[in-house]
Amino acid sequence: LAVWENTRNPTGSIVSALLAGSAALVFAALVVKWALTLQEAGNMDPRNAIARLATVYIPVPPKRSITGRVTLMFQERFVEMDAVTDNEETLKTGETVQVVGLQGGATLVVKPVRKE
């Protein structure tokens, strides 16, 4: 509109409008692309729990017979997860355990923490 008011040239006005519109489109696309980099997936990766300490919530039976449940903090969340153990005795509620591996992708393998 500014070019048309100053020159009364239709070709110049159309070219200026196309250039200004294209520049605005590119700028908006860059802003959106930048804003998308601020996102976080939030997916929990059970591998990040390895070597963390946890507390037994539901007793964990011995020798990986069935799963129990443990609670722990990882990836800035307080979570409850399935757990098994290779221990000879049942891990009781409230015991502190350490995550030593994974079974089947999402089940934690834990061992008791020995108190000295």
Side-chain angles (χ1 to χ4, degrees), residues 71-112:
T71 57
L72 69 153
M73 271 301 273
F74 86 102
Q75 292 185 198
E76 300 177 7
R77 297 180 190 170
F78 186 71
V79 295
E80 180 182 316
M81 298 182 73
D82 289 333
V84 294
T85 186
D86 292 325
N87 200 27
E88 297 291 330
E89 299 172 3
T90 298
L91 302 175
K92 297 185 180 3
T93 301
E95 275 190 68
T96 300
V97 295
Q98 183 175 21
V99 179
V100 294
L102 292 174
Q103 172 182 301
T107 301
L108 305 176
V109 179
V110 298
K111 72 174 185 177

Side-chain angles (χ1 to χ4, degrees), residues 47-70:
R47 292 176 295 182
N48 293 337
I50 294 175
R52 302 235 180 224
L53 294 179
T55 303
V56 176
Y57 179 61
I58 296 175
V60 181
K63 298 191 176 199
R64 298 188 189 199
S65 55
I66 58 174
T67 61
R69 302 280 285 175
V70 296

